[in-house]
């Protein structure tokens, strides 16, 4: 990416921090990771993908969150507790027979982004698992309470986990 294009993207994200990351990436022909990295530095912290399992185990203890998978064809949302998992047979396996379960290619995770930014008039906080191609595998959003405010207990855990993962880089 040319430095002028990157500067333009950074300026755009500074003016529009709530823009849909995947839409901006598609419109500018860059990866979602590039868009995340173009957010103001006060809104994003990046850690290494080798912390995938630790991040997922921590998130499993947060309680109700929203997991989003955003593709070109659909946006899937799951709201509930993320199950604990373990690595086996080349996957991080979500260990629960019903609800959210499955097998995640943890070794393709190249980075974990902790993002706090405004979105649709409210503060949002999410963990984005970024793959080796610069795409977003999925995002896990801090939950909201009955007043639609971010859950304070989860926000504390989100920030603590970001501190641990980013410090380990």
């Amino acid at each position: 990416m040319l430095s002028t294009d990157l500067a333009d993207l950074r300026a755009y994200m500074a003016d529009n921090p709530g823009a849909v990351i995947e839409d901006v990436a598609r419109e500018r022909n860059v990866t979602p990771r590039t868009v995340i990295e173009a957010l103001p530095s006060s809104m994003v912290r990046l850690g290494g993908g080798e912390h995938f399992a630790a991040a997922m185990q921590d998130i499993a203890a947060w309680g109700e969150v929203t997991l989003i998978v955003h593709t070109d064809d659909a946006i899937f949302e799951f709201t509930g507790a993320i199950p604990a998992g373990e690595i086996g047979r080349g996957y991080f396996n979500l260990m629960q027979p019903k609800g959210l379960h499955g097998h995640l290619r943890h070794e393709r995770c190249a980075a974990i982004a902790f993002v706090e930014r405004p979105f649709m008039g409210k503060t949002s906080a999410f963990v984005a698992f970024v793959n080796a191609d610069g795409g977003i595998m999925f995002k896990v959003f801090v939950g909201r309470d009955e007043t639609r405010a971010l859950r304070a207990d989860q926000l504390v855990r989100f920030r603590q986990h970001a501190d641990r993962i980013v410090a380990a880089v």
Side-chain angles (χ1 to χ4, degrees):
M1 173 173 238
L2 297 174
S3 61
T4 54
D5 293 337
L6 183 55
D8 181 56
L9 177 59
R10 284 190 174 131
Y12 179 81
M13 293 309 294
D15 291 341
N16 302 283
V20 176
I21 291 166
E22 294 82 356
D23 291 347
V24 174
R26 187 176 48 259
E27 290 163 6
R28 293 184 177 248
N29 198 31
V30 298
T31 66
R33 180 178 181 153
T34 301
V35 176
I36 288 172
E37 291 175 343
L39 283 164
S41 61
S42 62
M43 294 182 189
V44 63
R45 295 191 285 163
L46 283 172
E50 69 274 13
H51 301 287
F52 183 96
M56 290 299 292
Q57 294 297 52
D58 194 69
I59 290 168
W62 291 6
E64 186 173 283
V65 295
T66 299
L67 182 142
I68 295 180
V69 178
H70 187 151
T71 72
D72 287 342
D73 301 311
I75 300 171
F76 291 96
E77 298 184 19
F78 168 83
T79 299
I82 303 297
E86 62 186 37
I87 294 173
R89 297 185 180 177
Y91 290 90
F92 182 84
N93 301 291
L94 297 176
M95 307 302 289
Q96 135 173 317
K98 293 186 179 189
L100 180 66
H101 59 277
H103 315 282
L104 308 172
R105 292 182 64 197
H106 67 287
E107 290 182 352
R108 290 217 1 105
C109 186
I112 301 171
F114 295 85
V115 180
E116 289 185 68
R117 66 181 187 147
F119 186 74
M120 299 181 79
K122 294 192 176 290
T123 300
S124 72
F126 66 87
V127 181
F129 293 85
V130 181
N131 68 26
D133 302 321
I136 297 173
M137 301 166 74
F138 57 93
K139 300 176 206 157
V140 178
F141 284 77
V142 168
R144 295 191 179 276
D145 65 19
E146 60 282 343
T147 68
R148 304 290 302 139
L150 293 177
R151 285 190 41 189
D153 60 325
Q154 287 185 9
L155 193 55
V156 167
R157 293 204 61 164
F158 167 90
R159 290 175 177 157
Q160 288 172 339
H161 202 66
D163 289 343
R164 282 192 302 273
I165 287 179
V166 172
V169 172

